Amino acid sequence: MKYVSYHLNGRDTWGHIEGDYVSDLGAFFGGDLKTAIAEGRLGHPAANATTRLSDVKLLPVIPNPTKIFCVGHNFETHRAETGRAKVGHPSIFLRFADTLIADGDAIIRPCNSTSLDYEAELALVIGKTGRHIAEADAMSYVAGFTCANDASVRDWQWHTTQFAPGKNFPGTAPLGPWLVTPDAITDLGAVTVESRLNGQVMQHATLGDLIFPLPVIISYLSGFTTLNPGDVILTGTPGGVGAKREPPVWMKPGDIIEVDIAGVGLLTNTIAEEVT
């Protein structure tokens, strides 16, 4: 099943998708999608999908995550193009919730940089609370999958060895368009992750190319913090980022960037200049 967070008639709500229509499960159950995940309501729709999806304003699929984890250099092609050494554990950094935007929103290029890059990524959403999760049990903690663009302001990312500044400009992390429950994907390793900039393919790989597969990531994160329903994990981007092309390719106002993940969805955003 597919679930969305959306805004309609002055109210934020959530629902499930049936074809071109969406239900209003927020009106039936109350709360938001994160609350619904925590309460185990996914998979049990209780309202008909009667509103056209095209008539609603989508929100980031989880608008209010408590934690957003990102895994760096987790495709071998990306690790190689950056020249990073091979490591024994996932490289983890964090994003703030106010960086999130929805499918169809504009990624904001900040006024103090032109080095705005794309990073197509599969994101997973945690479905239940866990700590010290075994790899063998890890996928049972996943509520679903969605598309993400870990858009990065590279010059600020490279000021020091710490990634946080370049990864946390407001309005730089599209997440959506919807959450797909795990039963929709039968072979995770074969799932393709692709980005297209103005229609040109820039990145393409399968999840089978991940250095640290999803169960390893979940288990590792749960070793140092408690994972809770609605927490979001961006699992890494393939090689082909703009920063490592010759010459570099930076996203600019007016561009269209797409993240296309087979069986999950198509996330489309334009680029706009920050208004100061």
Side-chain angles (χ1 to χ4, degrees):
M1 298 187 71
K2 297 178 181 177
Y3 292 86
V4 288
S5 298
Y6 66 95
H7 184 87
L8 182 67
N9 298 328
R11 182 173 58 92
D12 291 348
T13 187
W14 64 281
H16 76 279
I17 296 173
E18 293 180 2
D20 296 329
Y21 292 84
V22 61
S23 67
D24 187 354
L25 294 179
F28 190 89
F29 289 118
D32 52 31
L33 185 52
K34 184 172 78 170
T35 302
I37 291 170
E39 294 177 349
R41 298 197 182 280
L42 301 196
H44 306 283
N48 291 328
T50 57
T51 301
R52 284 193 175 275
L53 189 59
S54 59
D55 290 338
V56 308
K57 168 66 177 72
L58 292 179
L59 301 172
V61 68
I62 304 293
N64 55 341
T66 303
K67 304 183 187 81
I68 306 172
F69 302 97
C70 304
V71 186
H73 309 107
N74 198 29
F75 280 83
E76 175 58 23
T77 50
H78 184 46
R79 185 206 64 79
E81 72 181 355
T82 62
R84 291 270 174 167
K86 293 184 179 182
V87 293
H89 302 286
S91 173
I92 306 297
F93 58 94
L94 304 177
R95 268 193 177 269
F96 304 146
D98 68 359
T99 66
L100 295 179
I101 59 174
D103 177 70
D105 287 346
I107 299 172
I108 303 302
R109 189 179 76 173
C111 61
N112 52 353
S113 177
T114 58
S115 303
L116 180 62
D117 207 347
Y118 51 83
E119 289 193 17
E121 306 203 16
L122 177 79
L124 63 86
V125 177
I126 294 297
K128 59 184 180 181
T129 299
R131 184 78 199 277
H132 302 298
I133 300 168
E135 290 179 18
D137 301 326
M139 297 308 294
S140 70
Y141 285 79
V142 177
F145 304 102
T146 191
C147 304
N149 189 339
D150 185 28
S152 305
V153 183
R154 296 297 191 194
D155 50 350
W156 282 77
Q157 178 184 341
W158 296 334
H159 283 171
T160 73
T161 57
Q162 302 299 314
F163 286 6
K167 298 288 189 173
N168 280 291
F169 280 79
T172 56
L175 186 71
W178 44 63
L179 183 76
V180 174
T181 51
D183 58 289
I185 299 176
T186 57
D187 184 358
L188 264 175
V191 170
T192 55
V193 178
E194 180 173 288
S195 67
R196 296 186 293 269
L197 181 61
N198 300 322
Q200 180 181 349
V201 174
M202 308 300 283
Q203 299 172 283
H204 184 91
T206 69
L207 293 180
D209 296 332
L210 288 175
I211 298 171
F212 298 102
L214 306 189
V216 175
I217 296 168
I218 294 167
S219 179
Y220 181 76
L221 292 173
S222 74
F224 71 85
T225 189
T226 300
L227 299 180
N228 290 304
D231 287 349
V232 176
I233 304 173
L234 278 62
T235 59
T237 199
V241 298
K244 296 304 176 182
R245 292 176 175 268
E246 293 293 343
V249 175
W250 305 123
M251 296 190 293
K252 60 187 184 302
D255 283 350
I256 298 174
I257 183 68
E258 297 170 293
V259 174
D260 192 351
I261 302 181
V264 178
L266 175 64
L267 175 65
T268 304
N269 300 90
T270 56
I271 310 302
E273 189 74 65
E274 181 181 16
V275 177
T276 58

